[in-house]
Amino acid sequence: MPVTTAEAQARMQAKLAELAAAGLRRVLLFGAGQHTLKVGPVLGDAPVEVLGVIDDARGGNGHRLWGWPVLSRDQAVQTDAEAVIISSDAGEQAIHDRHADWYRQHGKPLHRLYNTNDGQTRQVFVDADGREHALVPGYRRSVKPGWENMLRQTPGDYPPADLHAAKQALAAGQRRVALLEKYLQMHRQSIRNKSVLEIGCWDGACTAALVLGGAARATGIDHQDYFLWNVEPEAITDAQRAAARDSLAGLQAMTLRACHDAIDVSRIDLRIGDINACDLPDQSFDLICSWQTFEHVIPPSATFDTIAALLKPGGVCFAEYGAFTCRKGGHALVTLDFPWGHVRLSEADVDRYLDTLRPDEYEHAIRHYHRFLNRMTVADARQYAAQAGLNVLHVLPWLNRQHFEDELEPQHLSDARRHYPSMAIEDMVHDDVWLLLQKAG
């Protein structure tokens, strides 16, 4: 079966990175067929220069593909390319067997994407049920570019408070709030003149933007312990917690400074604490909102209960989040090396995968997996809302059609449902979910 576009692109990215790390700077691709069409979008910002595409049938006749000349074999060896990457899955072995010696003699060795030099086709992970999952080199980087940055963080590695960055964050917050207001108006709701709470406010940029957008007052709350994700809870010292709290408070203070000329900042109340253990009075907010936080609350049912308690009768709650169930839902450390691996494996198999294949990351990854990533599907969210006495006004999954067309297979959904029975297609192929709830009046 032909490889998916995502796998082809991930393997090509990994190979290009490997060659760049080895000091190579110029390469050719062998093959102007469907595989090269699949990988074309990742070639533009490749770490090595692609000089052209080899195709003996069409080369030398002025053809171009993705902007590169299509070359014959004789033209290819006249270039200053240092290597040739075979861009084919089904035909890779035949191309290698036929051409490897000739290109090697001309100083341009062939490199394969699928068959390794020892003849093994693909590395696999075997789950507890004996099913094999083929691993895709470079897959995590294609889903979460720059994932390594998370591992470089230390318990004292907090972002600095910076006025320029605060103003940029405030502008981004205003764009988010403008979209929220549009969405609310479509449901006969509004931010204007409302008392608003933001859950997971971080630096408070969106909280401030809510007041700039017309809210009467806005409160934001976030927990400093997210700064300490890489420390065991029982090992967190008072000094570490105080440093994290001071850092978060510094970011929030800079946000207030960034907007003090535009609004009365006394209308903004930024707090540090756990939303499920806060001292905010019940029935005090017309609107509760949250961006990119609901996937992290544990247990999510408790947060729905808290929202119901804090809302005034008739009040509404809006949440935008990227669920654990989606393609990028494993975040930096629990995105495995095959599509949707974090939901296709049981928790025990995810633990064994990380322990076996990423032992240097295991301690941090497994902590993040259990402490900061809930497993909530859209159906679960509906259930938690109902149990809390909240009505679901609207659910809007922002679907990514390319994920469905190029990657998601029936077996993937079947695998996921073994562990998460309420899993649906939209849980797996969304980029974000918008959820709108209302407390009875």
Coordinates of all heavy atoms in Angstrom, one line a residue, residues 202 271 279 299 433:
W202 N -2.6 32.7 31.8 CA -1.2 32.9 31.6 C -0.7 34.3 31.9 O -0.8 34.7 33.1 CB -0.8 32.5 30.2 CG 0.6 32.4 29.8 CD1 1.3 33.2 28.9 CD2 1.6 31.6 30.4 NE1 2.6 32.9 28.8 CE2 2.9 31.9 29.7 CE3 1.6 30.6 31.4 CZ2 4.1 31.3 30.1 CZ3 2.8 30.0 31.7 CH2 4.0 30.3 31.0
R271 N -5.1 36.8 38.8 CA -4.8 36.0 39.9 C -3.9 34.7 39.6 O -3.9 34.3 38.4 CB -6.1 35.5 40.6 CG -7.0 36.6 41.0 CD -8.3 36.1 41.7 NE -9.1 37.2 42.2 CZ -9.9 37.1 43.2 NH1 -9.9 35.9 43.9 NH2 -10.6 38.1 43.6
D279 N -11.0 31.0 45.5 CA -12.0 31.6 46.5 C -12.9 32.6 45.8 O -13.4 33.5 46.4 CB -11.2 32.3 47.6 CG -10.2 33.4 47.1 OD1 -10.1 33.5 45.8 OD2 -9.5 34.0 47.9
P299 N -9.1 16.6 37.2 CA -10.0 15.9 36.2 C -10.9 17.0 35.6 O -11.3 17.9 36.2 CB -10.9 15.0 37.1 CG -10.9 15.7 38.4 CD -9.6 16.4 38.6
V433 N -11.3 22.7 19.1 CA -12.7 22.6 19.3 C -13.2 23.9 20.0 O -12.5 24.4 20.9 CB -13.0 21.4 20.2 CG1 -14.5 21.4 20.6 CG2 -12.6 20.1 19.5

